[in-house]
Amino acid sequence: MPEGRGSRIGDNPGLRPGAMGFARNPPQKPDRLRAAADLLDQAAAADDKAAGRFAEARVDSTPFGISPQARELAARWATALAAREADARVLGDATSDLAGRLRMAAVSTRSTGFRGRLAVAP
C-alpha cells in the first residue's frame, strides 16, 4: 500500500488493534469479522440506495426538447443512468455476498479456531 494511504478498515477505530481500549484485550477474530460484515452490509445498503436513485432519475428524466439532438441526448442520458443502476446493483449484491461469507467465517472460527484466509472471488 502506498505510504500515506490507509485502507478503509484501517481507518475504522473499532477494527484497529489497540483502538477503543483494546490494547490489553484485542477483539477476537470472530468479532472483527462480524464488525467488518456489518460495515459491508452498510455499504451494500448504500449501493442499493444509489441504484434506486439512478432508477428514479432515469424514469423522471424528460427529453430537453423535440429536436433530434435533444432526443439523442436524452437517450444517451437514460442509457448512462441504466448502466450506473446496473453497476450499483451488481456491486451491492457482491458486497452483500462478501458480508455473508465473513459472517460464516466468524461462526466457523468459534469452534475450529481461525485457520486461514477467506477465499474471495473477484
Side-chain angles (χ1 to χ4, degrees), residues 37-52 88-89 91-93 95-96:
D38 290 343
L39 291 173
L40 286 170
D41 283 337
Q42 291 174 9
D47 291 333
D48 289 342
K49 186 175 181 179
R89 293 205 189 280
L91 181 60
D93 290 345
T95 304
S96 183

Side-chain angles (χ1 to χ4, degrees), residues 45-59 84-85 88-89:
D47 291 333
D48 289 342
K49 186 175 181 179
R53 289 196 176 183
F54 285 127
E56 276 181 26
R58 190 167 40 97
V59 170
R84 297 298 76 78
E85 177 189 355
R89 293 205 189 280

Side-chain angles (χ1 to χ4, degrees), residues 56-73:
E56 276 181 26
R58 190 167 40 97
V59 170
D60 292 343
S61 294
T62 57
F64 298 102
I66 57 172
S67 70
Q69 294 89 354
R71 281 181 277 176
E72 181 181 344
L73 180 62

